[in-house]
Every structure is written in structure tokens, then in C-alpha cells.
Amino acid sequence: MTEVPGGTAPLAAKLRVDIDPELLALALTHRSYAYEHGGIPHNERLEFLGDSVLGQAVTVMLFTSHPDLSEGQLAKRRASVVSTVALAEVARGIGLGAHLLLGRGEEQTGGRDKDSILADTMEAVFGATYLSAGSESATELVLRLTAPLLEDPERYGAAMDPKTSLQELAARIGAAPPTYSVSASGPDHERRFTATVTVGDVSMTGDGTSKKTAEMAGALSVWRALSERA
């Protein structure tokens, strides 16, 4: 079995599910690591499965828990919970980044804290849980980890629209509006964007496959730092 940093047991304990160690190790294996190690299997198939597990669990929960919401409102809430920035926040909450298997390039460019990698890996973990422990356990895990995004209205709003939430927070604390600086790297077919977002003396970066997602990721990081300070 591929050796995961720190082993799979500490992460499994945080997840509180009975998950097969080999499947969990696979869920943590990024394609960059697989490529550098002779093309071993990586987590993208599990990510595909986990995306469906996540979507179904959140959809059913929202439908049954909010009979007063319209289809459009339900869709908006679901989109916020399954978004890259929201899933990355969930991943950070369980320290997922420390256990990732990354290639040298991703390791050197901060891959352990990239929203896109964390979100994709989180979905892969949901897929591995489904295969190891079944649908009920996978659904329970999804709802337990994503619950804070729905229970805390401000946090939920920030995950759904971090740029607007950050602008409103900046105004509330008397700071200047956020500023955004975006850079791009990589070939055209695999472009990566990094946004530096600044409010006052707080400056954070966000990563994404588009300028918009990078800015959203950076805005959420700054919003979180300012909220904790407040």
C-alpha cells in the first residue's frame, strides 16, 4: 500500500468511519504523485463517485429539511455546499492537506492548501467511504462535515458568495474595499490561476482553474481571517 504522510489511521479517526486503509490511501493520491511513481492509480475515479455521493446527500437533506424553499433556493444552497471553496474549507477542518500524496511540483507550489486539490480529494474520500462502509455511512459523513456551512448563516453566505461577503465585512469594520491581483501559470490546456486578495493588513492567496474561482478562494480566506479577528 502507498505510504500516506502520517498514515491513514489518524485521518480515519477524524472521519469517524470504518474505511479501508488502501481505499483511503488511493483517495489521497493526487495524479501528480501517481505520474511520478510510474503511473500508479490515483484518486480521480473515486472523486467522480464521491461527487455523486455528495450531491445526493445534500440534495435529499435540503429537500426534506426545507419544505418552504423553492427549487431555485434549494439549488442555490446546494451549489454553495458542494462548491470548491466550501469543500476546501471542510477539508481544512479535518487537516486533510497534511495527508495528501503529491508530486514534487504540487508540493513546491503549495498544493497541500490549494482549494481545488483539497476539494477534489474530499470528494474522493466520500467515494472511498461509500465503497468501504456503504451509502448510509457515506451520507452521514457528508452531512456531518458540511453541516457547519448550513448551520452558520454567515459562514454559509461566505462559502456561497465570498467576494460579496468580504466586501460587506470590510465595510462593516471600516476597512477599504478588497483588492484583487491575479496571476496565471501553466500551459493553455491546464491553466492555473492564483489570486492575491488584500483587505487592510490581511493578504491571502487563492488558487483555481479560472480567475473567478481563484478570487473566490482568496476572498474566503481573507473573510475567514478577518472574521476570526473580529
Side-chain angles (χ1 to χ4, degrees):
M1 183 179 74
T2 303
E3 287 297 323
V4 173
T8 59
L11 179 59
K14 292 178 185 176
L15 295 171
R16 304 205 307 271
V17 291
D18 185 15
I19 183 168
D20 178 80
E22 290 193 13
L23 272 176
L24 183 54
L26 178 59
L28 298 168
T29 304
H30 188 257
R31 66 175 179 270
S32 62
Y33 182 92
Y35 175 78
E36 291 182 6
H37 290 76
I40 63 174
H42 53 73
N43 64 7
E44 289 184 359
R45 280 176 55 85
L46 284 177
E47 176 195 335
F48 172 78
L49 174 61
D51 177 65
S52 294
V53 172
L54 169 68
Q56 182 180 34
V58 171
T59 298
V60 172
M61 184 275 292
L62 288 172
F63 182 86
T64 56
S65 301
H66 299 280
D68 55 321
L69 295 184
S70 68
E71 181 271 342
Q73 291 171 314
L74 290 171
K76 195 172 183 180
R77 291 202 178 195
R78 178 179 61 190
S80 73
V81 177
V82 304
S83 70
T84 296
V85 288
L87 287 178
E89 183 176 359
V90 169
R92 290 189 183 96
I94 59 172
L96 190 65
H99 303 282
L100 299 178
L101 288 164
L102 300 174
R104 287 187 297 275
E106 288 292 355
E107 193 77 71
Q108 292 168 0
T109 56
R112 292 189 183 280
D113 197 45
K114 285 183 180 178
D115 281 26
S116 55
I117 291 178
L118 289 172
D120 290 347
T121 306
M122 198 70 252
E123 289 183 335
V125 169
F126 292 147
T129 303
Y130 179 91
L131 293 178
S132 291
S135 175
E136 186 174 334
S137 292
T139 296
E140 188 278 331
L141 177 64
V142 167
L143 297 183
R144 172 159 44 86
L145 293 182
T146 59
L149 294 171
L150 293 174
E151 291 173 356
D152 183 338
E154 284 201 28
R155 182 178 293 274
Y156 160 72
M160 180 176 64
D161 189 356
K163 293 183 70 174
T164 298
S165 295
L166 179 59
Q167 185 169 335
E168 292 172 348
L169 178 57
R172 239 181 5 252
I173 64 176
T179 61
Y180 295 84
S181 175
V182 182
S183 61
S185 61
D188 290 342
H189 67 281
E190 202 171 333
R191 209 73 168 150
R192 305 292 307 178
F193 294 84
T194 300
T196 301
V197 184
T198 304
V199 173
D201 62 346
V202 177
S203 185
M204 301 277 186
T205 60
D207 174 76
T209 55
S210 70
K211 178 182 176 181
K212 180 181 178 180
T213 56
E215 288 181 341
M216 289 174 64
L220 183 60
S221 294
V222 175
W223 178 90
R224 190 183 301 120
L226 290 175
S227 296
E228 290 174 357
R229 179 185 292 183

